[in-house]
């Protein structure tokens, strides 16, 4: 059966009310963005146009919230991203209010710290030591290299195929990425932004080209270079580690020369003589 035909007058009326609703929604969003309308007052608004607005769109318009925080709040309150204002129950509203306040009042954004230096210098040993410290959050990179014995997917790296990595580049999911000794490595942007917004000091343990990208794009980032006590010591550490093939060891040593000559581009240099000492230096530089 065909739907009833609307008279020209009814069609005009329907068109006019759609325009009116659109204008109302745009106005509400603008007021929320400017901080002139308190987000939680929207739940008492009786207008249908407001009730049909998506909670997520409005939440990330709130000053100081943004997309990442909005996603965290909705996730913690267990509300689907497609939920509309009018579809939020009393209980959910209360959880939403609590999570909103928690996030809004959380400490100011954390610092972005880059720890770089030649392969084998001991960067991961140092940053791994900082894992238990809740002032820091150590970023887990994505890589296309194969997993070494003892490594755990999702802990040491997120191990992915070349195709997935390329897809992530296309979708601009990396804060930075680079090729190194035959594989690709990248820092997932979302995770880093979320941790920073929660007030964590985020540590990226990355090679030189990645560090340069961070320097260019994040002016406030603090760049720390880890140096070996000597070239002989670096060679010995890399060989002793025994994780690489002969070719890969050579590729890493070739890159190490280039990396070492770039130390002056960094804000600080820590010479890794002894692990405890270097960790203490890193922590104090990071919290400065
Ligand atoms: P490995 O294969 O020894 O774990 O790492 C090789 C190099 O890649 C190291 O210098 C390490 O710091 C660097 N690296 C690890 N993750 C990333 C990343 O996300 N981005 C960049 N640019 N380098 C990374």
């Amino acid at each position: 059966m065909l739907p009833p035909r609307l008279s020209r007058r009814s069609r005009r009326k329907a068109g006019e009310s759609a325009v009116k609703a659109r204008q109302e929604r745009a106005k509400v969003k603008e007021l929320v963005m400017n901080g002139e309308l308190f987000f939680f007052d929207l739940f008492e608004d009786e207008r249908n146009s407001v009730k049909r607005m998506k909670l997520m769109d409005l939440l990330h318009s709130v000053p100081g919230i943004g997309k990442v925080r909005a996603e965290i709040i909705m996730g913690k309150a267990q509300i689907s991203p497609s939920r509309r204002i009018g579809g939020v129950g009393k209980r959910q509203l209360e959880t939403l209010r609590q999570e909103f306040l928690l996030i809004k009042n959380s400490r100011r954004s954390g610092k972005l710290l880059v720890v770089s230096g030649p392969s084998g210098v001991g960067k991961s040993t140092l940053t791994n030591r900082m894992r238990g410290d809740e002032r820091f959050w150590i970023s887990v990179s994505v890589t296309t290299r194969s997993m070494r014995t003892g490594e755990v997917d999702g802990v040491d790296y997120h191990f992915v195929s070349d195709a997935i990595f390329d897809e992530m580049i296309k979708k601009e999911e990396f804060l930075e990425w680079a090729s190194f000794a035959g594989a690709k490595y990248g820092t997932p942007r979302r995770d880093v932004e979320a941790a920073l917004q929660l007030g964590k000091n985020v540590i990226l343990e990355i090679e030189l080209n990645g560090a340069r990208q961070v320097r260019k794009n994040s002016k406030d980032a603090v760049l720390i270079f880890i140096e070996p006590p000597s070239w002989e010591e670096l060679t010995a550490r890399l060989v002793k580690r025994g994780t690489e093939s002969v070719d890969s060891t050579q590729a890493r040593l070739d890159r190490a020369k280039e990396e070492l000559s770039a130390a002056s581009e960094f804000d600080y240099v820590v010479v890794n003589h002894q692990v405890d000492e270097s960790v203490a230096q890193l922590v104090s530089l990071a919290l400065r």
Side-chain angles (χ1 to χ4, degrees), residues 113-116 122-133 136-139 203-206 226 275 278-279 282:
L113 302 143
V114 170
V115 174
S116 200
K123 290 171 301 205
S124 349
T125 310
L126 302 180
T127 52
N128 278 338
R129 284 282 198 95
M130 296 161 87
R131 272 183 203 268
D133 187 329
F136 299 107
W137 185 82
I138 319 291
S139 163
I203 300 195
L204 311 184
E205 189 247 285
I206 60 179
I226 312 291
V275 174
S278 303
V279 171
L282 269 183

Side-chain angles (χ1 to χ4, degrees), residues 50-85:
V50 174
K51 284 186 194 298
R52 294 188 50 206
M53 290 181 82
K54 279 207 178 144
L55 186 56
M56 188 66 164
D57 288 347
L58 285 163
L59 188 55
H60 80 232
S61 307
V62 177
I65 295 287
K67 243 183 168 154
V68 174
R69 283 181 169 209
E71 275 173 16
I72 297 173
I73 296 171
M74 297 281 277
K76 291 207 165 168
Q78 297 188 335
I79 301 178
S80 143
S82 58
R83 188 61 57 86
R84 294 174 194 271
I85 293 279

Side-chain angles (χ1 to χ4, degrees), residues 65 69 72-73 98-106 198:
I65 295 287
R69 283 181 169 209
I72 297 173
I73 296 171
Q98 282 167 13
E99 296 301 339
F100 178 91
L101 289 177
L102 269 178
I103 296 268
K104 197 107 207 302
N105 298 335
S106 62
L198 289 173

Side-chain angles (χ1 to χ4, degrees), residues 7 20 44 84 114 162 167 207 214 218 250 253 272 274:
S7 69
K20 190 168 163 240
E44 278 155 33
R84 294 174 194 271
V114 170
D162 259 307
E167 192 58 33
E207 53 68 71
V214 176
S218 316
Q250 194 49 53
L253 286 172
N272 189 17
Q274 203 267 332

Side-chain angles (χ1 to χ4, degrees), residues 235-247:
T235 320
R237 281 185 197 174
L238 198 53
V239 173
K240 193 169 137 214
R241 198 167 82 178
T243 52
E244 308 305 318
S245 64
V246 175
D247 282 354

Side-chain angles (χ1 to χ4, degrees), residues 119 140-146 148 151 156-160 162 165 169 174-188 205-207 209-210 213 241 244 248 252 255:
S119 181
V140 179
S141 296
V142 178
T143 186
T144 61
R145 88 147 156 72
S146 36
R148 292 176 188 146
E151 281 185 330
D156 297 283
Y157 282 105
H158 300 288
F159 294 92
V160 300
D162 259 307
F165 198 98
I169 298 177
F174 292 121
L175 189 71
E176 61 71 39
W177 72 270
S179 296
F180 184 96
K184 290 181 195 142
Y185 298 81
T187 305
E205 189 247 285
I206 60 179
E207 53 68 71
N209 290 326
Q213 289 169 51
R241 198 167 82 178
E244 308 305 318
S248 172
R252 281 160 191 260
R255 276 291 290 263

